[in-house]
Amino acid sequence: MNLAAAATNESLAQTSNVLIYSSMAVYTLAFFAHIAEWLLGSRSKVARTAAALTGDAQGSAAGSVKVQVTREGGATAVLERPKVITRSASGTRDIPDGPGAHGGDARGDLYGRIAVSLTVLAWVVEAAGVIARALSVQRAPWGNMYEFNITFSTVAVGVYLAFLALKKNVRWIGLPLITTVLLDLGLAVTVLYTDSDQLVPALHSYWLWIHVSTAIFCGAVFYVGAVATLLYLFRERYETKLATGLKPGSFATSVMERLPASGTLDKFAYRVNAAVFPLWTFTIIAGAIWAGDAWGRYWGWDPKEVWSFITWVAYACYLHARATAGWKGRKAAYLALIAFGCWLFNYYGVNIFVTGKHSYAGV
């Protein structure tokens, strides 16, 4: 019976590996589809749309734009066109959101939809691989860095797809997300791969499901916020050049005009980080409770505990600055990226380069 169970577990582990590699292949196809969306979408249409909208925004600073309409019989009427409505933050430049990665072109939009469909398929295959890994060891698949990585990328893509399912215009995240997911999975299957094994006694607790699952989810949402923040910095610099009369290159124009306005990106990043911050607070509290059960103390200045707290402080400073000091520009964005950098070091650096009580199964 034990031999049969061992053979079944080994088969499940091999199935998990096949599914993870298969998901990487499908993610690669999604990556090329997103590239096609960006490259084959009409650049000239983006330029024309950008020029028209920017002209409307500049011309409507006083409130409206007058448009002459010729009626039948030669008579003309002057209509008041409403001021261009954008989602930019209050007090920022009134610049409209871009048409999207496809550039407002039907062919580009088709490639974008194909990319999303492939991403859904890859996500389903990867999630099946994570489940097969869990079944092969009959526990939560979070006992080492390899399992953390495949679960983290699955959750990150799941968060992105959830935004799309909620009809949020976030397809601009697709290309950077899929790119980093492929890098994450490549690192997992080459450098971080660890054979299926049982956990050390300290991890045999229901707190594993609570603490680690929330930590992975928080990291995935923080990642989405970091992508939006990074894109905000590029877009904001582009808008600044336009405002000062400079003319960016054709490539920069083609890319930047397809993104949402800087104010939209800034608000999106802030709301995402603010929404998940309470859950990160709960993650640290749950970890302290688990430490009390496993090691007899709630806090022991272990490197993982310290960097989790540093990450919490960094995000707290970011949210506090936004709420009280009125930081809504580049300074706040830099704070957000520093906070996510702390999370990344806690995720990779502490686990790989620092020895502590949270070091299990090699990596």
Side-chain angles (χ1 to χ4, degrees):
M1 186 67 175
N2 290 335
L3 290 176
T8 300
N9 292 340
E10 180 64 24
S11 176
L12 286 169
Q14 293 176 358
T15 300
S16 173
N17 294 339
V18 171
L19 289 171
I20 294 300
Y21 277 104
S22 299
S23 71
M24 292 177 65
V26 183
Y27 277 131
T28 301
L29 295 177
F31 169 79
F32 285 117
H34 273 301
I35 291 290
E37 177 189 15
W38 280 92
L39 293 181
L40 301 181
S42 174
R43 291 188 176 186
S44 59
K45 189 170 184 177
V46 171
R48 292 195 303 270
T49 304
L53 289 175
T54 303
D56 287 348
Q58 292 173 348
S60 60
S64 63
V65 178
K66 294 183 178 181
V67 182
Q68 284 191 343
V69 179
T70 303
R71 296 176 177 174
E72 294 183 1
T76 60
V78 179
L79 304 179
E80 295 287 332
R81 180 187 299 173
K83 183 179 179 180
V84 175
I85 299 175
T86 74
R87 290 182 291 165
S88 298
S90 175
T92 62
R93 288 180 296 274
D94 191 15
I95 295 180
D97 289 337
H102 53 78
D105 182 75
R107 183 173 62 165
D109 183 63
L110 174 62
Y111 283 113
R113 293 178 183 277
I114 292 173
V116 172
S117 299
L118 289 170
T119 301
V120 172
L121 176 60
W123 177 77
V124 171
V125 174
E126 186 183 10
V130 174
I131 294 172
R133 177 78 175 195
L135 294 175
S136 71
V137 290
Q138 299 179 3
R139 59 166 173 79
W142 310 315
N144 51 63
M145 281 295 293
Y146 169 74
E147 295 173 355
F148 289 160
N149 270 38
I150 61 175
T151 305
F152 171 76
S153 59
T154 304
V155 175
V157 175
V159 171
Y160 164 65
L161 294 178
F163 276 119
L164 290 178
L166 294 172
K167 308 299 183 183
K168 303 298 182 181
N169 182 23
V170 295
R171 206 162 77 191
W172 43 269
I173 297 179
L175 182 58
L177 174 68
I178 300 305
T179 302
T180 50
V181 163
L182 283 171
L183 292 174
D184 178 77
L185 290 176
L187 180 65
V189 300
T190 55
V191 178
L192 302 176
Y193 181 79
T194 304
D195 291 328
S196 300
D197 200 358
Q198 293 303 313
L199 300 175
V200 297
L203 290 182
H204 285 287
S205 171
Y206 59 88
W207 282 105
L208 174 66
W209 292 91
I210 300 173
H211 171 65
V212 181
S213 63
T214 54
I216 292 174
F217 178 77
C218 289
V221 178
F222 282 146
Y223 166 74
V224 172
V227 171
T229 301
L230 192 61
L231 292 177
Y232 157 77
L233 290 174
F234 286 111
R235 172 76 189 200
E236 194 276 338
R237 183 175 295 276
Y238 171 78
E239 292 177 5
T240 299
K241 288 183 177 180
L242 291 180
T244 55
L246 298 177
K247 185 178 180 181
S250 59
F251 178 78
T253 300
S254 175
V255 173
M256 291 295 108
E257 289 295 348
R258 303 186 194 199
L259 292 175
S262 63
T264 300
L265 291 168
D266 185 42
K267 286 192 294 183
F268 177 80
Y270 171 68
R271 289 172 179 174
V272 164
N273 289 327
V276 79
F277 180 74
L279 190 59
W280 181 249
T281 305
F282 169 78
T283 300
I284 296 176
I285 295 172
I289 296 174
W290 187 11
D293 290 342
W295 302 315
R297 84 310 183 265
Y298 295 104
W299 190 268
W301 298 104
D302 183 75
K304 177 69 71 173
E305 297 170 350
V306 171
W307 276 97
S308 295
F309 180 67
I310 290 175
T311 302
W312 184 90
V313 170
Y315 273 108
C317 290
Y318 162 71
L319 296 175
H320 179 74
R322 288 289 304 250
T324 60
W327 285 15
K328 291 182 174 58
R330 301 183 70 86
K331 292 186 293 183
Y334 291 142
L335 265 180
L337 290 180
I338 289 172
F340 184 69
C342 293
W343 186 91
L344 274 182
F345 181 78
N346 187 37
Y347 181 54
Y348 286 106
V350 173
N351 284 15
I352 296 175
F353 302 112
V354 182
T355 302
K357 286 184 174 292
H358 287 77
S359 300
Y360 304 111
V363 290

